[in-house]
Amino acid sequence: MLPWTLLGRAPIPGSAERLVLWQRGDEFSIRISGYVSELMNSRVHGSEEALATEACALLRGAASARVLVGGLGMGFTLAAALRTLGDAAQVTVAELVPEVVAWNQGPLGEAAGRPLEDGRVSVQIRDVAELIRAAQASYDAVLLDVDNGPQGMTHTENHWLYTPAGLAAARRALRPGGVLAVWSATREEAFTRRLTAAGYAVQVQTVRARTGADGRGRGARHTIWLARV
Ligand SMILES: C[S@@+](CC[C@H](N)C(=O)[O-])C[C@H]1O[C@@H](n2cnc3c(N)ncnc32)[C@H](O)[C@@H]1O
């Protein structure tokens, strides 16, 4: 078996931990120092893609939609959004860790088909919360996969995104009919209730981590909230 090769380490702003990128053949793994489990593996991206495809499928004007993706990770959510949206769409990606953007501009970019090179994409090396706070009816969809879900893991300040204040700000950032889509490793009924209390019409989906050769879902069960304004 091929050995894993260390490609890079990156400090996480506001955290004592680091993101660490490994490669083994055409497989990539991003881990958080101090945690045993992976944050992401390039062979497992079914639910990251579903976050985008399920949210964009709800948009009436998907051909020319404005979409905010936070964060970049390995680019699978971004690539799926670009496949679903039309030529006139504009996608802003907010990524907290500059090295993650650099990794996607390097060898890691192959994993999701180099979505950063798509002319519809602009990248901001910023906390997605800043973009949400600054926006007023700016986006048709906000796709959030910045952590392990509402319980967090990489960046404790992400907690705000899932609070009533964060959900109200996301609602202001969205246009009428817009969708806030949130990825999580676990299902959390309290978060569903918080979304409903914040005035969203909420669907909760369970999505498998990957698709087997027979086309059936395999691996862990992840949760996606689709919350419409
Ligand atoms: C689990 S990965 C995202 C995976 C991505 N959905 C994909 O398809 O590859 C989480 C990413 O969010 C970034 N991140 C964490 N907190 C963030 C924040 N507040 N704003 C922007 N990016 C953030 C992390 O650095 C990491 O790149």
Side-chain angles (χ1 to χ4, degrees):
M1 185 180 272
L2 287 170
W4 285 102
T5 305
L6 177 67
L7 291 192
R9 293 179 209 270
I12 303 171
S15 163
E17 309 296 350
R18 286 165 175 260
L19 290 182
V20 187
L21 175 65
W22 296 88
Q23 181 176 15
R24 178 172 71 178
D26 62 1
E27 181 182 6
F28 294 90
S29 170
I30 295 181
R31 292 173 179 272
I32 302 175
S33 56
Y35 286 80
V36 176
S37 61
E38 287 180 312
L39 180 66
M40 281 214 68
N41 182 291
S42 59
R43 298 211 170 149
V44 184
H45 43 80
S47 60
E48 287 81 359
E49 291 169 341
L51 178 71
T53 52
E54 297 294 323
C56 294
L58 293 176
L59 301 180
R60 265 177 254 121
S64 57
R66 285 199 61 193
V67 176
L68 174 63
V69 178
L72 176 61
M74 294 187 176
F76 290 106
T77 300
L78 173 62
L82 293 168
R83 285 194 294 271
T84 311
L85 298 167
D87 289 348
Q90 292 175 40
V91 184
T92 303
V93 186
E95 171 54 52
L96 189 67
V97 179
E99 289 85 347
V100 169
V101 176
W103 294 344
N104 276 271
Q105 289 162 339
L108 175 61
E110 293 299 333
R114 301 211 165 272
L116 289 183
E117 293 178 3
D118 190 301
R120 295 169 291 174
V121 176
S122 62
V123 184
Q124 300 228 12
I125 298 177
R126 278 175 74 182
D127 187 332
V128 68
E130 291 175 21
L131 274 74
I132 289 174
R133 279 194 197 95
Q136 290 281 344
S138 303
Y139 302 108
D140 298 290
V142 174
L143 313 180
L144 284 186
D145 178 12
V146 288
D147 232 312
N148 237 15
Q151 286 179 339
M153 187 158 97
T154 51
H155 184 56
T156 47
E157 286 164 31
N158 283 341
H159 177 70
W160 175 83
L161 292 164
Y162 310 107
T163 63
L167 298 179
R171 210 175 147 208
R172 282 193 298 275
L174 287 163
R175 294 172 171 165
V179 180
L180 169 66
V182 179
W183 186 98
S184 176
T186 54
R187 195 175 178 108
E188 295 172 41
E189 300 307 334
F191 185 61
T192 309
R193 288 195 292 276
R194 233 177 293 148
L195 281 166
T196 306
Y200 293 93
V202 186
Q203 289 176 36
V204 190
Q205 295 193 4
T206 301
V207 183
R208 300 298 289 269
R210 58 190 175 83
T211 307
D214 59 1
R216 296 175 66 175
R218 294 275 192 285
R221 287 178 167 79
H222 297 147
T223 299
I224 290 172
W225 286 270
L226 298 167
R228 294 191 80 180
V229 175

